[in-house]
Amino acid sequence: SQLRSLLFPGYFDEGDLGREGLRYHTGHTLSQVRKGLTEQVMRAICFRCTDPTRMRRCEGEAAEKVDQFLQSLPEIRASLVEDVKAAYRGDPAANSEEETVFSYPGLTAVTYHRMAHRLYQLEVPLLARIVAERSHSLTGIDIHPGASVGPGLFIDHGTGVVIGETAVIGRNVRIYQGVTLGARSFPLDAEGNPIKGQPRHPIVEDDVVIYSGATVLGRITVG
């Protein structure tokens, strides 16, 4: 919730802060987020580590990753601005952009995803997946944190949407409920185990609309 208040200043804060108060509140919130997130990132790093002597190095690594994450917030926010505009333009039932911020599950899911994707890029996959599953439980929209999503994504209604790990979505894409961007098969290694990280989900190019109930499988391009 603190990160969401940073990405949407003035929307999810308690009380009327005013312009000057909002500046100080933002600085205070950033400080709190940095402290709490560093702890969580360190735990996620330690979860994968089997060497107890690396604890101090893990602390430094976590702090560095969190600083990189916080430095990317303006970029994330710029994409979210485009997502909000896309939601308002794409739904004739929307009365204002503010309505989409407060009440549209698709926008909530995309907000969580943009944060989770950045953590995924910073190689904190456990925490990224936790954020993604939190979003899934809140919205019914399942976006793997590895999926690459361009600005201006509008997921309308949203229930039952599934977007896989290696999916690539361009700019100004609209997706309706019940859509799956999934894999058709899994390449296996010599021992019969799935090979991780192989591109296996669709590429959706700019300005594409995918209507409700569509199932798109495999590494194909929808233009």
Side-chain angles (χ1 to χ4, degrees), residues 19 63 77 81 119 126 135 140 167 175 190 213:
R19 183 181 296 273
R77 186 168 184 270
V81 168
L119 290 169
L126 176 61
S135 172
I175 296 174

Side-chain angles (χ1 to χ4, degrees), residues 75 105 112 115 118 162 168 171 201 215 218:
E75 179 184 348
Y112 274 84
M115 293 187 285
R118 185 61 181 130
V162 178
V168 178
R171 302 176 65 94
H201 299 96
T215 299

Side-chain angles (χ1 to χ4, degrees), residues 129-220:
R129 195 60 186 265
I130 290 171
V131 172
E133 291 305 323
R134 169 65 174 165
S135 172
H136 186 192
S137 67
L138 287 172
T139 66
I141 298 167
D142 185 0
I143 310 176
H144 191 284
S148 177
V149 176
L153 174 64
F154 176 37
I155 302 176
D156 199 3
H157 305 295
T159 304
V161 166
V162 178
I163 300 174
E165 178 186 21
T166 63
V168 178
I169 297 176
R171 302 176 65 94
N172 302 317
V173 169
R174 191 187 317 166
I175 296 174
Y176 287 84
Q177 70 274 14
V179 166
T180 297
L181 303 181
R184 194 163 58 90
S185 61
F186 303 95
L188 305 176
D189 62 19
E191 297 179 355
N193 299 312
I195 300 174
K196 304 291 185 179
Q198 294 294 307
R200 60 192 184 278
H201 299 96
I203 298 171
V204 180
E205 295 186 337
D206 297 350
D207 304 309
V208 168
V209 180
I210 303 180
Y211 285 101
S212 57
T215 299
V216 187
L217 303 178
R219 193 60 166 186
I220 64 171

Side-chain angles (χ1 to χ4, degrees), residues 8-97:
F8 295 99
Y11 279 78
F12 299 102
D13 307 303
E14 295 183 5
D16 185 7
L17 297 172
R19 183 181 296 273
E20 198 64 25
L22 186 60
R23 288 179 56 203
Y24 290 107
H25 174 73
T26 299
H28 176 66
T29 303
L30 269 171
S31 178
Q32 288 185 312
V33 165
R34 186 178 188 276
K35 180 179 179 180
L37 189 57
T38 300
E39 172 68 22
Q40 296 303 317
V41 170
M42 188 180 73
R43 291 183 181 186
I45 293 172
C46 290
F47 180 80
R48 292 188 299 168
C49 181
T50 57
D51 182 1
T53 64
R54 286 192 70 237
M55 177 63 72
R56 186 169 297 277
R57 202 165 73 190
C58 286
E59 291 177 358
E61 184 181 347
E64 182 179 345
K65 288 181 183 295
V66 169
D67 285 343
Q68 292 178 40
F69 175 83
L70 294 178
Q71 288 166 9
S72 69
L73 289 182
E75 179 184 348
I76 293 174
R77 186 168 184 270
S79 293
L80 288 171
V81 168
E82 296 304 312
D83 299 331
V84 170
K85 292 178 179 177
Y88 179 61
R89 287 195 309 264
D91 186 2
N95 295 302
S96 66
E97 292 182 354

